[in-house]
Amino acid sequence: MPKDHGIGASPKRREDVRFLTGAGQYTDDINVYGQTYCYFLRSDVAHGKINRIDTSDAEKMPGVVRIFTGKDFEGVGGLPCGWQVTDRFGQPMKEPGHPVLAQGKVRHVGDPIAAVVADSLEEARNAAEAIVLDIEELPAAVDMKAALGDGAPLVHDDIGSNLCYDWGFVEDNKGAVDEAIKNAAHVTTLELVNQRLVANPMEPRVAVGDYSRANDESTLYTTSQNPHVIRLLMGAFVLGIPEHKLRVVAPDVGGGFGTKIFHYAEEAFVTFAARKINRPVKWTASRSEAFMSDAHGRDHVTKIELALDKDNNFVAIRTETLANMGAYLSTFAPSVPTWLHGTLMAGNYKTPNIYVNVKAVFTNTVPVDAYRGAGRPEATFQLERVIDKAARELGVDPIALRRQNFVTEFPYQTPVAVVYDTGDYNATMNKLEEMADIKGFAARRKASEAKGKLRGFGVNCYIEACGIAPSNLVGQLGARAGLYESATVRVNATGTISVYTGSHSHGQGHETAFPQVVAEMLGIDESMIDIVHGDTSKIPMGMGTYGSRSLAVGGSAMVRATEKIINKAKKIASHLLEASEADIELKDGKFSVAGTDKSVAWGDVTLAAYVPHNYPLEDLEPGLEETAFYDPSNFTYPAGAYACEVELDPETGKVTIERFAAADDFGNIVNPMIVSGQVHGGLAQGIGQALLESCAYDENGQLLSASYMDYAMPRADDVPFYSVDHSCATPCTHNPLGVKGCGEAGAIGSPPAVINAVIDALQSGGHKVEHINMPASPQRVWAAMHG
Amino acid sequence: MTEVTMTVNGKSVTKSVKGNTLMTEFLREELRLTGTHVGCDTSQCGACVIHVNGEAIKACTMFAAEAQGSEVTTIEGMANADGSLGVIQQAFQDHHGLQCGFCTPGMVMSAAALLKDNPKPTEHEIRDYLEGNICRCTGYHNIVKAIMAASGQDVSGIAAE
Ligand code: FES
Ligand code: FES
């Protein structure tokens, strides 16, 4: 019998009511009295020298309040990068400046050159058209390999090349890895592209800046996954506004997927401009603008080698990757191809020797940063593709080859720094085999073939590092922030509770799931508990939501704060019951004296805390409110096995997903309904990457996919009903809830399963295709069949 | 400026609008009905779907002036008279057919239009009909399931949760 409340139950989401009735409060729904509108004039060339910007005619246009250019930001800080990577030679990465508005040069299509602030958006837009620009177009660095070649155009002249860093991991392993590969019985090599994607949350970014002269305080309403991070970066590094004079609010946010983690120029601009003109400034991205200003994702080109001994045991992995940074370093960009990618190259397997080399490259393209999975999908894709290729070359079953090499003993120290605390990869694989009905595949293939179609089956495993992250560890790795999370549990006099969390909900359902945790601990009804998030003026310093960390880190902070509440409440109860504190038990919202029928209700204790007439005032402060900061001691390691079955039309090359099964180990589950939903969404994004999505540039750096006409988003008829399971749980050993995180798994685990299935289908039709780059569009598949 | 009169969620409204004011702007800015969302600028995403004279329309493709004399329904008009969720809205909540909620108003409005014409659509028909509505969060699984459930079909056989 499934539970109907507390941990493990699936209550209906309480946030749904406002979203379903049009009562959500998204940033664009916020208008501030006296507000102006901002329009950014953006570069339409990939690379150019700004000779002149003449705003004199534009300034005279109706409604214009003020026009800003790069000149206005001289002496103002640039957008900071939050992670410093150290290269193979012990040198820090190259870290060029990133001005709020372009200074001297434009470096990608979409780079903001000027901002018009006017009484209406229409007037702002019209005035922007009257700005006279003299920009001398320069040759652009677009292709990464070419960008590293001699004589390539330089994105940043002052750093002398387009190389951001050349990273080796673990550098000391390199010799052993080279040796193992040289002596291996078999080496499988694969070169592949993990294409550039655009996260595309359905709500475009919005920023509203407001300024109060009364107390010299700025407020920024923004579509962010982590308002405190924005407050810190923007206040301390860009605008020099102290934190107590800066409030950042991220209200209902319409999806993030990573791209709303970062601090963007537009946020700094509206905050800056509102102070200058003493009026609120609002900016709402159009979708086309989002395509050229939201940080993009992925964009790796990789060569991977997998070496096996004569018994098919994995003995070494060596990879070389070019990772695109785009024109500037976005907030966490340097960490993605390194610490979020290299550390996962062991996958679910016990490969003793691993060496990862990554060269990060500047190009005249939109900056690239974390997108759902961030580095881990790139690691998973190359590893799970090369294993499949190896199985085919060796003529062995791809599942058996995986099983043979699984890590089976925990904790497991990988050769790439991380320690897996727990897992059971055979269990998820067993589950998957059952879900995917492998036995029935032959018959289904036959049926497809009878219709003139090909059918393929693909499987893969994945592991990710979530619950980001132990602060001291990431500090050593170059993070310029701690990655703890905070929670304040404020119990009111009548017993209701507000929980203030640094985690941010932009679709994850925290307002429903978090109360389940607190309610379970206190034995009271979930409806008595509300979650407050997304406003730096209300919540303690929090690091926000990304890296599947909300429950593992934010939830743990909540557990710790609630434990403190219980401790204090027991003291109050012992006073009221005139019993020793050690004898007080809390059960079902009641404090009782063990072994007696004496008890006080939760509400009596909370009332006593705030109306302390009968209260141990000498020993205990009144009130019932506690804060905890939780810093995890390790990452968490969700893992699983995924299977995809495709049908391929040899006439057109079109691939259809017929079945998709996902068996995940997320540790303990608080709300199974929400967890399944997270997996579904991730799967659609992974299937989108595998079959549809691609952010394309031409050789001059023109963005070819700048709208939904050219960027193929997965739609309802591109995906099937998924079969998902998370019953194979090995609880995380180091956080109090035993949870691992589920937000990114679907996007990490699905692309290789799809491509493995496509290759299987092609091979079954006699096509000797060993690899196909994503997206496996009809055109590409057809070309592979006939190439 | 021209004066337009229309009925929005059962109430008559008269406003003067510019000829180029989009229906999305009119609803969101003039009437403060911010449940109708704008997710794109190429009429591809469906976050803005409303009903005009009973038909599903992308409000971003229509000028407010064109709605003169029309009967308009937005997401704010979809709940029951007592304020409780309508059948489709309720099915979306019951089956977790929404996450961030941004596409949701458009999804509900499209679903309502579909069920009016086709009271028991198949999975395939639903997926086909939703071609113009993008959701980035749910992977569509629970949206399709919710619409099937709203049309009275048994969805218990559809994969877990
Ligand atoms: S906003 Fe109307 S279709 Fe996207
Ligand atoms: S619920 Fe977020 S876009 Fe659909």
Side-chain angles (χ1 to χ4, degrees), chain A residues 201-203 254-255 257 506-507, chain B residues 97-104 107 134-138 143:
Chain A
M202 290 318 297
E203 176 203 32
F257 314 116
H506 32 279
Chain B
L98 64 153
Q99 292 183 21
C100 79
F102 198 80
C103 73
T104 308
M107 287 289 179
I134 307 178
C135 173
R136 192 55 151 171
C137 295
T138 63
I143 291 179

Side-chain angles (χ1 to χ4, degrees), chain B residues 37-40 43-48 58 60:
Chain B
H37 294 154
V38 179
C40 74
S43 63
Q44 297 268 309
C45 78
C48 62
K58 288 180 167 169
C60 69

